[in-house]
Amino acid sequence: QAQFAESGGGLVQPGGSLRLSCAASGSIFRFPVMGWYRQAPGKQRELVARITTGGNTNYADSVKGRFTISRDNAKSTVYLQMSSLKPGDTAVYYCNTFPQVRSWGPGTQVTVSS
């Protein structure tokens, strides 16, 4: 059973940047697509970015041009570089497979506030 552990969240001012990391137990090479999801208070969890084993990426319109997803198959780690952060990006961020998800990790809290 795959397990994911997210890290790198925190409190940042609007316009700031953060880099999230997701360490997976076992190789992520067996997962063709990995994604970063987020859940804001009172809202449903949503997919914000995904990446294939070959490096093809796709982003939600709300983060396009500001977020960059990457993966290191050798380290079984997926990253999310976030820049030009907005208060609307405040959420708990999770990584998981796409489109079918496995067990959710604890997530990492990102708070964008002045």
Side-chain angles (χ1 to χ4, degrees):
Q1 182 76 5
Q3 292 183 317
F4 306 107
E6 302 87 355
S7 62
L11 173 63
V12 63
Q13 292 187 340
S17 299
L18 282 174
R19 188 194 194 203
L20 307 184
S21 297
C22 168
S25 62
S27 173
I28 61 171
F29 190 78
R30 67 189 190 274
F31 302 135
V33 186
M34 291 293 299
W36 277 98
Y37 302 75
R38 69 184 180 187
Q39 186 167 22
K43 295 186 178 181
Q44 289 190 330
R45 189 150 25 200
E46 62 173 346
L47 177 72
V48 295
R50 65 181 193 258
I51 185 168
T52 68
T53 303
N56 292 317
T57 59
N58 188 276
Y59 299 90
D61 288 343
S62 59
V63 307
K64 200 171 295 183
R66 301 187 298 119
F67 290 11
T68 302
I69 187 171
S70 60
R71 64 190 285 172
D72 186 331
N73 293 324
K75 294 183 178 179
S76 293
T77 302
V78 184
Y79 305 96
L80 187 67
Q81 178 68 47
M82 307 185 296
S83 60
S84 302
L85 283 162
K86 306 174 181 180
D89 296 318
T90 295
V92 179
Y93 285 72
Y94 306 85
C95 71
N96 213 310
T97 52
F98 176 87
Q100 289 184 322
V101 298
R102 289 161 171 80
S103 297
W104 293 100
T108 186
Q109 175 71 49
V110 172
T111 303
V112 184
S113 175
S114 55

